[in-house]
Amino acid sequence: MAWFLLSIAIVAEIVGTLFLKASDGLSKLWPSIGVAVGYTTAGIPLLIEKYKVNLARIFDKPRQEKILSLSLDYEGLIATPVNEFMDLMAL
């Protein structure tokens, strides 16, 4: 899975870079949007994968899954009291 995400990230970054050249210093709207989409597509999946790897180094499987699902669910995260979330993160 990591190699697949890395491949997607590489392609998305190349596309973003091509749009960067076409955007003429981010002065053209549509190529500038292509830059943002390309770099976001490249970065977000890798950040999530890195987050999973680091959670796995520290926490047991049930706690990893709880932290990850809560972190990726904005509504659930803001509804969770801070002390409960911090208790999950405590070693």
Side-chain angles (χ1 to χ4, degrees):
M1 182 69 167
W3 288 106
F4 177 70
L5 289 176
L6 181 61
S7 300
I8 289 175
I10 291 169
V11 169
E13 195 160 343
I14 290 170
V15 168
T17 303
L18 293 173
F19 274 113
L20 184 61
K21 180 145 178 83
S23 72
D24 194 29
L26 300 177
S27 63
K28 297 178 182 173
L29 177 64
W30 291 110
S32 297
I33 291 172
V35 170
V37 169
Y39 286 137
T40 302
T41 303
I44 298 299
L46 291 178
L47 288 173
I48 292 171
E49 195 64 32
K50 187 173 183 178
Y51 187 56
K52 288 178 185 178
V53 167
N54 285 302
L55 285 175
R57 289 180 335 129
I58 300 168
F59 300 109
D60 58 349
K61 192 71 170 167
R63 194 185 282 186
Q64 289 173 42
E65 292 170 358
K66 177 77 173 163
I67 293 169
L68 184 64
S69 67
L70 200 54
S71 297
L72 296 177
D73 175 23
Y74 178 74
E75 295 298 324
L77 183 61
I78 61 172
T80 303
V82 173
N83 63 322
E84 287 182 23
F85 187 71
M86 293 308 294
D87 286 344
L88 281 173
M89 299 296 267
L91 296 177

